[in-house]
Amino acid sequence: ADEPADVTLHPEACSKARAALAVHAVDLPVDPGAADTDVQHVRLELGVDPAAHTLAGNATLEVVAVAPVTSFRFRLHEAFTLDAVSVDGGSAAWHRLDSATVLVDLPHAVAPGASFSLAVAYHGAPPGGSGSAITFTTKNGQPLVFTVSEPWLAFTWWPVKEDNRDKLTADLLFTVPSPLTVVSNGTLLSTDDLGGGKRRFHWATRYQTAPYLICFSATAYDEFDSTWAYAGGTMPVRFYVYPADDTPAHRAAWQLSLSMLDTFSRLFGPYPFAAEKYAIYEHGGGGMEHQTATGQSSFDEMLTAHEL
């Protein structure tokens, strides 16, 4: 707590150290109404412009009331413009409580067990620096955009109930310039050419996921695949590497994760997301154990084992 906010971390500093530093830049009070709702699912459609460093999104949260509620709070950084907010398809009144928090008035009281759908359209340039989850940069002459939201920085790129106890499933659709590939949580359902030099990647996870573990990375990747065989069947293991780093040694280093899956499953129980995948993708954020998709900045065996 006594460290200055501009302390410099070692390039290989783990995600926990980076997250601890980021906390200095964000002072978010606990949402007093967090326990009153259960967010079950998010559909996030996100347009990513690496050249302009901007996002344009539509997020729909499916919410169940746990207690009687007449309003709902979500977090989205004030750097974004809110284009529209609606509840169950109808326009809803809203106002900002602070630089991070938006309060939405529900059109009617929602009883415990009943549900509502909150849709948010927004656009803008995310904040930069240690208080942001999203990084716009380049690698080997190609755009690179990636997120590391731990512990509660998801609000700097998507509208979220920032309560990591309230897990949710997700459909995650990312539109990027055509040369880029997007990696995210869960299973890749489709890749669609939209024309105009754009394509869309639709990832989806049906596993309950804490908000800070929702992620994506977009750049020019080489991809190679493997298969992990376990007692109950097989699971795809996918690797996304910068073309300049795509060497036999680096492939072999990351493929050690297959034997690690065997060992950890024997010691701690079966890998819990086997119906979807395990992936490792190269990014610039040290290491981060996003659910079903680990981001790593090196091929070090210890880092690979740690994140898995």
Side-chain angles (χ1 to χ4, degrees):
D2 295 329
E3 289 291 338
D6 61 350
V7 64
T8 300
L9 296 179
H10 187 279
E12 293 299 323
C14 75
S15 60
K16 303 300 184 295
R18 295 180 185 279
L21 183 61
V23 169
H24 284 283
V26 183
D27 183 18
L28 296 179
V30 174
D31 183 349
D36 293 344
T37 58
D38 178 7
V39 179
Q40 308 242 307
H41 184 79
V42 62
R43 179 182 175 90
L44 176 63
E45 301 178 45
L46 194 64
V48 182
D49 188 334
H53 293 192
T54 59
L55 305 175
N58 289 277
T60 302
L61 300 174
E62 305 298 338
V63 186
V64 172
V66 176
V69 291
T70 58
S71 64
F72 180 79
R73 291 175 179 85
F74 69 88
R75 285 177 173 154
L76 184 67
H77 196 280
E78 64 181 353
F80 294 104
T81 298
L82 281 169
D83 300 310
V85 177
S86 63
V87 174
D88 294 333
S91 181
W94 61 272
H95 67 276
R96 281 201 169 273
L97 298 178
D98 54 45
S99 63
T101 311
V102 177
L103 176 68
V104 181
D105 295 321
L106 302 179
H108 53 79
V110 180
S115 62
F116 61 92
S117 177
L118 172 73
V120 180
Y122 66 104
H123 75 277
S130 61
S132 180
I134 188 166
T135 298
F136 289 85
T137 186
T138 59
K139 188 68 177 181
N140 303 318
Q142 293 290 336
L144 169 63
V145 186
F146 65 92
T147 63
V148 179
S149 298
E150 188 184 35
W152 46 71
L153 292 176
F155 81 104
T156 62
W157 66 281
W158 64 281
V160 60
K161 177 187 170 185
E162 198 96 58
D163 179 354
N164 288 323
R165 300 164 299 181
D166 190 352
K167 298 184 179 184
L168 70 167
T169 59
D171 279 271
L172 305 163
L173 295 86
F174 304 96
T175 299
V176 295
S178 292
L180 306 187
T181 294
V182 179
V183 189
S184 187
N185 308 86
T187 300
L188 182 60
L189 299 185
S190 64
T191 303
D192 300 311
D193 185 352
L194 303 181
K198 302 285 186 182
R199 60 178 176 172
R200 181 177 60 212
F201 293 80
H202 183 179
W203 289 89
T205 182
R206 301 303 176 236
Y207 287 109
Q208 295 290 310
T209 306
Y212 81 97
L213 293 173
I214 300 294
C215 68
F216 81 92
S217 183
T219 192
Y221 281 120
D222 282 356
E223 179 182 353
F224 61 100
D225 299 332
S226 191
T227 301
W228 178 54
Y230 61 98
T234 60
M235 178 186 75
V237 182
R238 293 180 172 164
F239 306 96
Y240 298 83
V241 61
Y242 305 146
D245 290 341
D246 189 2
T247 66
H250 286 161
R251 288 192 176 211
W254 274 5
Q255 285 176 318
L256 290 175
S257 57
L258 295 167
S259 59
M260 294 173 188
L261 280 161
D262 288 334
T263 299
F264 294 160
S265 292
R266 184 172 66 253
L267 291 172
F268 309 123
Y271 175 74
F273 314 112
E276 293 182 352
K277 74 170 187 310
Y278 185 62
I280 304 175
Y281 61 90
E282 207 171 353
H283 74 164
M288 181 58 206
E289 67 284 3
H290 298 118
Q291 193 163 296
T292 75
T294 281
Q296 296 184 198
S297 60
S298 82
F299 299 85
D300 179 77
E301 181 178 354
M302 184 175 68
L303 180 64
T304 300
H306 172 83
E307 302 306 337
L308 175 59

